[in-house]
Amino acid sequence: MSRLIFLGPPGAGKGTQAAMLAAELSTPHVSTGEILRAAVSGCTELGMKAQSYMDQGELVPDELILGMVRDRLTQPDTKSGWILDGFPRNVSQAKFFDELLVAIKQAYDRVVNLEVADETLVTRLLGRGRKDDSEDVIRNRLAVYREQTAPLIDFYHNRHQLVSIDGDQPIEDVMAAIRQVIVP
Ligand code: AMP
């Protein structure tokens, strides 16, 4: 069983690696960005509230995210494991998550931190062509990452559960490095 948190800047390959690993381990891949994009396409209330933040590369407010994650992690398929990608995104989400895990009697095994240099991130994101991948939005997402998400590296490092991996390698090599550090 695996319960993993993927951390890293936008464009580090979290989504790609989390999806590959999830398929390999038959564990649900929980991407908050994907849940939000589906909500936007489905014109749900959540989607309508979240869209403007996403379009600008800002974080969607915690009050919309926390209930969404709680709902997802209390569905039956995530009982025996999950791979989280895109959450937590700031320290208050991480603290909420600690409480949620206690409440649902679960714990994460590892936090996988993918490291990639800024220049590579911008090139990768520009090549991806998602709606929020224009250059100014990308720059904002990187700034938001640095200010709000990067502090989670210390947050989890202090608990000795963080493993950092060089994400600036071919996809298969990153995958191989991740396989070596996760609890099977
Ligand atoms: P991602 O697919 O992880 O790059 O997320 C795309 C966008 O969704 C982000 O730029 C945020 O606007 C929003 N988002 C995804 N996850 C979160 C989260 N945990 N907290 C706040 N906003 C989020």
Side-chain angles (χ1 to χ4, degrees):
M1 180 197 302
S2 290
R3 294 191 178 117
L4 304 169
I5 297 172
F6 272 63
L7 210 63
K14 295 187 298 295
T16 305
Q17 298 294 335
M20 283 170 63
L21 192 65
E24 206 170 287
L25 302 174
S26 301
T27 295
H29 170 205
V30 177
S31 156
T32 46
E34 270 176 27
I35 297 173
L36 290 166
R37 281 187 288 281
V40 170
S41 331
C43 295
T44 67
E45 199 182 331
L46 168 69
M48 287 188 287
K49 288 183 181 157
Q51 180 162 26
S52 62
Y53 298 98
M54 297 169 75
D55 286 348
Q56 294 167 52
E58 294 291 329
L59 294 187
V60 173
D62 288 354
E63 59 262 33
L64 297 178
I65 300 290
L66 303 181
M68 187 182 99
V69 170
R70 188 195 294 112
D71 289 349
R72 185 65 191 90
L73 292 190
T74 47
Q75 281 170 26
D77 66 323
T78 46
K79 235 191 177 118
S80 56
W82 33 258
I83 299 177
L84 269 182
D85 148 26
F87 178 90
R89 207 70 159 231
N90 59 30
V91 172
S92 72
Q93 290 184 8
K95 288 183 175 163
F96 161 86
F97 192 47
D98 282 342
E99 289 168 18
L100 175 65
L101 289 177
V102 171
I104 63 176
K105 298 190 173 63
Q106 295 186 3
Y108 56 85
D109 307 312
R110 287 276 184 281
V111 180
V112 177
N113 178 37
L114 294 180
E115 297 182 311
V116 176
D118 272 14
E119 314 84 78
T120 315
L121 296 174
V122 176
T123 316
R124 282 188 187 178
L125 291 168
L126 280 173
R128 198 164 70 169
R130 215 167 70 186
K131 191 179 169 210
D132 55 347
D133 284 339
S134 68
E135 187 151 2
D136 52 339
V137 177
I138 288 173
R139 302 254 171 231
N140 194 38
R141 281 170 41 220
L142 288 174
V144 167
Y145 167 79
R146 259 181 243 114
E147 280 162 28
Q148 303 193 46
T149 311
L152 293 179
I153 296 175
D154 277 348
F155 182 94
Y156 287 117
H157 179 73
N158 292 337
R159 301 175 176 195
H160 310 289
Q161 270 158 317
L162 183 99
V163 283
S164 287
I165 286 179
D166 176 9
D168 203 351
Q169 316 177 67
I171 289 176
E172 272 306 330
D173 296 354
V174 177
M175 189 78 260
I178 294 173
R179 277 193 204 102
Q180 285 188 354
V181 296
I182 60 165
V183 181

